[in-house]
Amino acid sequence: MLPDATALHAAAGTVYAAMPPTPQYVWPQLAAALGCEAWLKHENHTPTGAFKLRGGLVYFARLARQGAVSGVIGATRGNHGQSMAFAAARAGLRCVIYVPHGNSREKNAAMQALGATLVEHGTDFQAAREEAARVGARDGLHYVPSFDMDLVAGVATYWAELFRAAPDLDRVYVPIGQGSGINACVAARNLLSPRTRIVGVVSAHAPCYAHSLAAGRLVSAEVHTVLADGLACRVPDAGSLEVIAAHVERLVCVTDAEVAAAMRLVFSTTHNVAEGAAAAAVAAAWQERDQLAGLRIGLPLTGGNVDGDLLARVLAGESFALGAAAAAH
């Protein structure tokens, strides 16, 4: 069951004890490029540079109330792991995080700086997740999932901030990784802005949610994205898929080339850094810009945690069209 008003209020109290609300702005050049009133929600301004922190704070608050947890374990491509490490440090808990080989160096370093023990395993998130669950069961560590309603409640606080600051949005574009972000959007939208339509955004090179919605059942799909690691999900979550099917109007698929162009657009029009997954919403809006005239839309900049060398390649104009070629094979 999605968080209700009581759960959202409680989550806000937990989140704001650790961080302030983040801003949202209509950047004139970005709005002009998209041809509409576009509100950019700056989750890149949290203490870990991404929206996931909010969910971790709420999840770990419940663990603290329950007690009897000596340590936690989980898997990530980076932002969920930083959320875990930040919240575990506040709670005084040991934290072990599994990442796939080849994960972002700078996200790895950030998790370690927050006190987490980092373990590399497998070639993608799903392999790392399965190994983390196995080791957690073996070693008596509490496994922190990537999708959970406490995580959703925490993340919903940023959507509540946006809907209160910018009431009556016509449409929001929401990136989908494992699903906490879009489920949180649904929860806050239902409570605060029921007329707003939700458009999900997935990587064309990590299409498991798109395939699953089309098939009406869980469908795994290989991951080939180079830029959008936060969307690099191979196996969807059943609970998340159910909410998306019931409440999300449709999905838009964006390629790595489109994500790279959106990262450049965000930087040139706002001078903010968007990691690949965070630029996906802007990429989807740009893809549909001919439909946006006269609309008020919301675009979450979900994080700014991208390796410097990769960002340099994007800003230098590299197209990353090879991502499309890889996905075709």
Side-chain angles (χ1 to χ4, degrees):
M1 181 182 296
L2 288 169
D4 59 13
T6 299
L8 186 56
H9 178 76
T14 298
V15 170
Y16 299 146
M19 58 166 280
T22 60
Q24 48 278 310
Y25 304 120
V26 177
W27 293 89
Q29 292 181 82
L30 180 61
L34 295 174
C36 66
E37 183 180 321
W39 287 82
L40 195 64
K41 178 60 170 168
H42 284 284
E43 288 299 281
N44 58 316
H45 292 181
T46 75
T48 61
F51 78 101
K52 292 278 191 178
L53 175 60
R54 297 171 184 261
L57 290 167
V58 173
Y59 188 95
F60 276 72
R62 176 173 62 80
L63 285 187
R65 291 192 299 270
Q66 293 175 338
V69 174
S70 60
V72 296
I73 192 169
T76 188
R77 290 302 304 264
N79 290 334
H80 175 60
Q82 287 187 70
S83 170
M84 285 180 56
F86 185 99
R90 284 173 61 89
L93 293 174
R94 176 191 175 202
C95 181
V96 179
I97 299 174
Y98 277 68
V99 300
H101 289 284
N103 198 53
S104 162
R105 296 187 310 277
E106 293 177 24
K107 287 180 179 178
N108 288 354
M111 289 182 278
Q112 290 173 311
L114 288 165
T117 298
L118 199 74
V119 182
E120 293 182 308
H121 180 87
T123 59
D124 66 5
F125 168 72
Q126 184 65 25
R129 178 167 68 170
E130 292 170 359
E131 181 66 5
R134 186 190 70 80
V135 172
R138 182 194 70 191
D139 295 349
L141 296 172
H142 176 88
Y143 178 77
V144 181
S146 299
F147 180 80
D148 175 273
M149 283 303 158
D150 282 324
L151 300 177
V152 169
V155 173
T157 61
Y158 96 69
W159 284 107
E161 292 167 12
L162 177 60
F163 288 133
R164 288 172 178 140
D168 296 321
L169 291 173
D170 296 292
R171 183 184 302 178
V172 290
Y173 289 92
V174 190
I176 302 175
Q178 203 64 42
S180 64
I182 197 161
N183 277 249
C185 179
V186 169
R189 186 279 308 267
N190 289 354
L191 291 169
L192 299 170
S193 190
R195 68 174 290 274
T196 301
R197 296 182 176 184
I198 300 174
V199 179
V201 185
V202 299
S203 170
H205 319 306
C208 68
Y209 273 96
H211 291 346
S212 296
L213 284 175
R217 57 182 176 83
L218 294 179
V219 177
S220 64
E222 291 302 312
V223 172
H224 299 284
T225 178
V226 175
L227 285 181
D229 57 349
L231 308 184
C233 173
R234 175 158 55 94
V235 180
D237 181 275
S240 177
L241 181 67
E242 183 178 354
V243 171
I244 292 169
H247 296 278
V248 174
E249 181 180 80
R250 55 193 170 82
L251 298 186
V252 174
C253 294
V254 294
T255 66
D256 275 5
E258 291 174 311
V259 166
M263 292 171 71
R264 288 189 287 271
L265 179 63
V266 169
F267 188 82
S268 66
T269 59
T270 77
H271 288 126
N272 277 261
V273 171
E275 61 184 274
V282 175
W286 178 260
Q287 189 183 115
E288 298 192 343
R289 63 193 180 280
D290 291 344
Q291 307 172 20
L292 300 180
L295 298 186
R296 305 177 76 223
I297 69 170
L299 302 168
L301 202 170
T302 54
N305 298 322
V306 55
D307 285 358
D309 57 349
L310 183 59
L311 178 63
R313 290 165 57 194
V314 171
L315 296 182
E318 186 170 334
S319 71
F320 291 88
L322 286 177
H329 287 82

